[in-house]
Amino acid sequence: MALSLARSLPLARNFGAVSLVARGVWVGGRRWMSSTQSSLSDIEPSELQIRETPQPKKIPSLDTLKFGHTFTDHMLTVPWTQSAGWGTPEIIPYGPLSLDPSSTVLHYAQCLFEGMKAYRDVNGRVTLFRPELNMARMNRSAQRIALPTFNGEAFLELIKQLIRLDKEWIPQEKGHSLYIRPVLIGTQNTIGISPPDSALLYVICSPVGPYYPDGFKPVALHGTTEFVRATPGGTGAYKIGANYAPGVYPQKQAAQLGYVQNLWLYGPEHYLTEVGTMNLFVVFKRDDGSLELVTPPLDGMILPGVTRDSVLSLARSHASGELRLPGLTSNLVVSERSVTMKDVREAAQAGRLVEMFGTGTAAIISPVDKIGYEGQDVTIPVEADGMGPVSRAVWTELVGRQTGAIPSDWSVVVVE
Amino acid sequence: MALSLARSLPLARNFGAVSLVARGVWVGGRRWMSSTQSSLSDIEPSELQIRETPQPKKIPSLDTLKFGHTFTDHMLTVPWTQSAGWGTPEIIPYGPLSLDPSSTVLHYAQCLFEGMKAYRDVNGRVTLFRPELNMARMNRSAQRIALPTFNGEAFLELIKQLIRLDKEWIPQEKGHSLYIRPVLIGTQNTIGISPPDSALLYVICSPVGPYYPDGFKPVALHGTTEFVRATPGGTGAYKIGANYAPGVYPQKQAAQLGYVQNLWLYGPEHYLTEVGTMNLFVVFKRDDGSLELVTPPLDGMILPGVTRDSVLSLARSHASGELRLPGLTSNLVVSERSVTMKDVREAAQAGRLVEMFGTGTAAIISPVDKIGYEGQDVTIPVEADGMGPVSRAVWTELVGRQTGAIPSDWSVVVVE
């Protein structure tokens, strides 16, 4: 089955999933003897093997960076088998995976991922932002689609090692960071549908620039009712691949209508759920002059975003008086509650709608200035800098904490 | 970035997605000049390149066959790029794919598939069963998740070539066949979410034995209300990977409760939708002594199964008197309508429930003898051979047509 190297189809040489299994057995010599679930190996950072690239790539100049197009010199891999558990973690040169064409990830979407960022300041100090939340969510995703779970702390230790090795790839400039993408895929080589007997956990890293290099640019949303992103009893609360492919076509449709993203509305009431692949916040003015910051509750249809959680936490600290968000003079009320498009439209008409924004790891905060809904556009207030009073205040505090400029226990040091 | 061959991690050598793109450009020399969508290349069977394996595998003995565990000597691949369209089709030795770790299929479930069977009779004649339906459905799936569509007739021609090359792998014995798995994956190597700029269409084949080698064995279902398979506005009507991974955990839960598969119930009314990964049929006795064969309508939550369509078609021919299904003496009424668990339970209690079965390419017909629902078991009648009057009659006619024993225009000859 030797393939010519001159062939340019994506075919690998010499091994598929059988070798993955063989490896699991080999790696876990002692584990192989174990037969009970609990005695299977978990991820063991002390077993990490590092093989550095002999040919480091040229680090591209910042102005050429496009989100998710450039990857660093190395990647982290941890194989898993049902019989042996987690095998030897390795940091190796970034390069293609060899997958059998019957591999379950390619047929049944047995894949999930996370998104995190590492920041490097002018003194070379490198930090992560609340990474334990990503580890916990990744394990919840794994359980939901019957992929193997793992010790999140041990996996995070390995991710830190990868970041340390590739730290020169992390831009120091304002708004720049290293986007970290952990992925878990099912690699069983049979086309029956079941929990896979082998899997691969891996991490790749991509240096990224600011999402809005020229200041915030509010986006127009298409209030989408003909497609749904999530449903009660579905998988919308998990960061699994299956939630993403179905959203691409509706996004194309929205773009053809002149909108940037989908505003996913649910049910006959047209409840607001998420925007594109971000969580959603709305700010209403109340009769007493205070502002209500609202986001939909975690009812199974909402991804529990790290940025969502951070925005809520900062806003609640402001509301309780424990913290004063920079530049925010209003009192805040913070609500996790359902909001319908009728609520939003009526508030806009009555002048009680203050702002709306999406939150996520990639863009952090993404202001909204318009919603196309039932054939008409609902206009959302936006101030001169593209933001609103709450998003601006939260963004300033949040980015300060993410980059380490504002000290907080959310920032986890990777390189001192 | 050279990797030692001794390494048993799933890492490929020498090329990832960049080469896919390069190939598209190279293949389409003349196409490369074209810039409009309509002038991109479609699949061209006359360009097929065949490279036979120098080391044919030993064809395993029939009694060792396990569904989807064994694959034939060759596979078919057709690459696609946004700039050039479909590239050169190739039949090559079965072997692993090399995918960049950023490949979108591994992150966002940009994958879909089909399932078909080829039958070989004692004279060596090989047939497919209604393959044009699979081609049409595959194109609908592709469009729904923004993967490239293609000329289904041209692709089918290539599949036939693959079957002809590997025809010795098709068992001749009763109930045996060659399961054919076409797959389409997005292979863009960037971690943004969008329609991919490159994709790979491929086909692998697996010889399979009868699903029920020792006669029909009815299955017990768990009436599942805490998880949903599909929802209006969702993707349940498309054969995409994203519909499958989320079902594995609920199936494990059902198994732990002592049931074989999930009966997916929808909404507060607990509408019956599908069973596991099969379509669902229920038979009720009517006051006039006739039988009503019911299956849920294609309302966006139901996969339009080829077997489902064939069962409906045969039953309607029986109902109209155009065809007499073997052994079925009752008159039939055929309905595509919604059925609730309340309907089923009441009919069971009143002695009006005749039978229930799932349909799909793998098992063809799968009788049901029990549904665990709201803490109690609803018993479904099953006759001594594991079937019921309608399923037995339909199965006999259907399998006759599939294997070519009963001549019909549903059977498409691949090898005379």
Side-chain angles (χ1 to χ4, degrees), chain A residues 1 7 9-12 15 55 68 77 90 92 94 96-101 107-108 144 181 191 202 228 233 245-246, chain B residues 1 7 9-12 15 68 77 90 92 94 96-101 106-108 144 181 191 202 228 233 245-246:
Chain A
M1 202 181 299
R7 298 189 64 259
L9 246 195
L11 297 170
F15 41 71
Q55 293 168 302
T77 61
E90 293 190 299
I92 53 177
Y94 184 96
L97 306 174
S98 170
L99 291 170
D100 197 86
H107 300 242
Y108 306 127
R144 179 60 185 85
R181 171 57 63 94
I191 54 177
Y202 67 89
V228 302
Chain B
M1 204 182 297
R7 298 191 62 260
L9 245 196
L11 295 169
F15 42 70
T77 61
E90 292 191 299
I92 52 176
Y94 184 96
L97 305 174
S98 171
L99 291 170
D100 196 87
L106 305 176
H107 300 243
Y108 306 128
R144 180 59 185 84
R181 172 55 63 94
I191 53 177
Y202 67 90
V228 302

Side-chain angles (χ1 to χ4, degrees), chain A residues 1-5 7-16 19-20 23 51 53-55 57 67-69 71 75 77 79 90 92-103 105-113 143-146 179 181 183-185 188-195 200 202 204 206 226-228 230-235 240-250 252 266 277, chain B residues 1-5 7-16 19-20 23 51 53-55 57 67-69 71 75 77 79 90 92-103 105-113 143-146 179 181 183-185 188-195 200 202 204 206 226-228 230-235 240-250 252 266 277:
Chain A
M1 202 181 299
L3 305 180
S4 155
L5 283 180
R7 298 189 64 259
S8 44
L9 246 195
L11 297 170
R13 293 158 65 84
N14 299 299
F15 41 71
S19 57
L20 258 181
R23 177 182 185 75
R51 187 165 47 83
T53 178
Q55 293 168 302
K57 291 178 276 194
F67 184 83
H69 277 64
F71 300 96
M75 59 195 272
T77 61
E90 293 190 299
I92 53 177
Y94 184 96
L97 306 174
S98 170
L99 291 170
D100 197 86
S102 68
S103 196
V105 63
L106 305 177
H107 300 242
Y108 306 127
Q110 289 187 324
C111 57
L112 59 93
F113 66 95
Q143 186 184 33
R144 179 60 185 85
I145 58 168
Y179 184 84
R181 171 57 63 94
V183 181
L184 177 56
I185 59 176
Q188 176 158 333
N189 292 348
T190 67
I191 54 177
I193 304 171
S194 64
L200 181 68
Y202 67 89
I204 56 177
S206 175
E226 65 275 41
F227 300 104
V228 302
T231 184
T235 57
I240 62 175
N243 290 335
Y244 293 83
V248 176
Y249 179 73
K252 270 174 71 179
Y266 186 77
T277 60
Chain B
M1 204 182 297
L3 305 180
S4 156
L5 282 181
R7 298 191 62 260
S8 45
L9 245 196
L11 295 169
R13 292 158 66 86
N14 299 300
F15 42 70
S19 55
L20 259 182
R23 176 181 187 77
R51 188 163 47 82
T53 179
Q55 294 169 302
K57 290 179 275 191
F67 184 83
H69 277 64
F71 300 96
M75 58 195 273
T77 61
E90 292 191 299
I92 52 176
Y94 184 96
L97 305 174
S98 171
L99 291 170
D100 196 87
S102 68
S103 195
V105 62
L106 305 176
H107 300 243
Y108 306 128
Q110 288 185 324
C111 56
L112 59 91
F113 66 96
Q143 186 184 32
R144 180 59 185 84
I145 59 170
Y179 184 84
R181 172 55 63 94
V183 181
L184 177 56
I185 60 176
Q188 177 157 336
N189 292 347
T190 67
I191 53 177
I193 305 173
S194 64
L200 181 69
Y202 67 90
I204 55 177
S206 174
E226 65 274 40
F227 301 104
V228 302
T231 185
T235 57
I240 61 174
N243 290 335
Y244 293 82
V248 176
Y249 180 73
K252 270 174 73 179
Y266 185 78
T277 59

Side-chain angles (χ1 to χ4, degrees), chain A residues 391-412:
Chain A
S391 60
R392 187 185 304 110
V394 166
W395 181 84
T396 307
E397 178 75 22
L398 186 56
V399 169
R401 291 184 181 213
Q402 285 177 337
T403 57
I406 300 175
S408 83
D409 55 9
W410 284 352
S411 190
V412 173

Side-chain angles (χ1 to χ4, degrees), chain B residues 55-303:
Chain B
Q55 294 169 302
K57 290 179 275 191
K58 191 174 173 300
I59 297 177
S61 71
L62 291 184
D63 51 3
T64 64
L65 288 181
K66 214 174 144 186
F67 184 83
H69 277 64
T70 308
F71 300 96
T72 65
D73 277 327
H74 297 93
M75 58 195 273
L76 167 67
T77 61
V78 197
W80 176 90
T81 66
Q82 197 171 35
S83 54
W86 292 100
T88 303
E90 292 191 299
I91 291 177
I92 52 176
Y94 184 96
L97 305 174
S98 171
L99 291 170
D100 196 87
S102 68
S103 195
T104 45
V105 62
L106 305 176
H107 300 243
Y108 306 128
Q110 288 185 324
C111 56
L112 59 91
F113 66 96
E114 278 297 325
M116 311 158 70
K117 279 180 178 171
Y119 301 87
R120 187 159 73 122
D121 69 17
V122 286
N123 302 316
R125 190 165 172 267
V126 176
T127 54
L128 284 167
F129 185 72
R130 309 185 77 188
E132 70 285 358
L133 296 186
N134 298 95
M135 296 298 101
R137 185 171 65 185
M138 198 170 187
N139 269 302
R140 290 197 303 273
S141 301
Q143 186 184 32
R144 180 59 185 84
I145 59 170
L147 289 178
T149 56
F150 52 85
N151 179 337
E153 216 169 314
F155 184 42
L156 183 56
E157 197 43 58
L158 294 168
I159 293 175
K160 289 179 184 174
Q161 289 283 60
L162 176 64
I163 295 169
R164 285 173 195 134
L165 187 62
D166 281 349
K167 67 173 189 285
E168 297 310 321
W169 284 83
I170 316 176
Q172 293 176 344
E173 286 69 13
K174 199 178 161 187
H176 291 67
S177 60
L178 188 68
Y179 184 84
I180 296 155
R181 172 55 63 94
V183 181
L184 177 56
I185 60 176
T187 55
Q188 177 157 336
N189 292 347
T190 67
I191 53 177
I193 305 173
S194 64
D197 65 11
S198 60
L200 181 69
L201 182 61
Y202 67 90
V203 184
I204 55 177
C205 303
S206 174
V208 295
Y211 209 84
Y212 294 108
D214 306 316
F216 284 90
K217 193 176 175 305
V219 296
L221 306 182
H222 178 247
T224 302
T225 54
E226 65 274 40
F227 301 104
V228 302
R229 190 197 85 90
T231 185
T235 57
Y238 304 91
K239 206 163 179 70
I240 61 174
N243 290 335
Y244 293 82
V248 176
Y249 180 73
Q251 201 278 329
K252 270 174 73 179
Q253 299 275 84
Q256 278 163 11
L257 294 168
Y259 301 94
V260 177
Q261 271 299 350
N262 301 96
L263 173 60
W264 301 104
L265 302 175
Y266 185 78
E269 302 85 354
H270 294 172
Y271 287 114
L272 280 69
T273 61
E274 296 200 8
V275 39
T277 59
M278 304 181 92
N279 290 123
L280 174 72
F281 285 83
V282 192
V283 179
F284 297 104
K285 192 181 297 170
R286 286 156 51 106
D287 292 342
D288 65 1
S290 66
L291 301 179
E292 185 192 15
L293 175 69
V294 183
T295 195
L298 299 179
D299 57 2
M301 292 197 285
I302 304 295
L303 189 81

Side-chain angles (χ1 to χ4, degrees), chain A residues 310-383:
Chain A
S310 303
V311 168
L312 281 175
S313 175
L314 292 176
R316 285 187 172 126
S317 293
H318 181 96
S320 72
E322 186 193 322
L323 171 79
R324 193 102 312 243
L325 285 175
L328 184 62
T329 51
S330 309
N331 285 329
L332 268 188
V333 176
V334 182
S335 308
E336 289 180 79
R337 68 170 174 88
S338 298
V339 180
T340 66
M341 265 311 292
K342 186 159 169 276
D343 298 337
V344 170
R345 188 163 52 187
E346 285 178 2
Q349 284 163 353
R352 289 185 294 102
L353 186 63
V354 179
E355 62 170 321
M356 182 182 294
F357 54 95
T359 65
T361 294
I364 307 173
I365 281 181
S366 189
V368 174
D369 64 359
K370 192 162 74 176
I371 303 170
Y373 176 63
E374 292 185 340
Q376 291 199 312
D377 282 345
V378 178
T379 301
I380 317 288
V382 176
E383 295 177 10

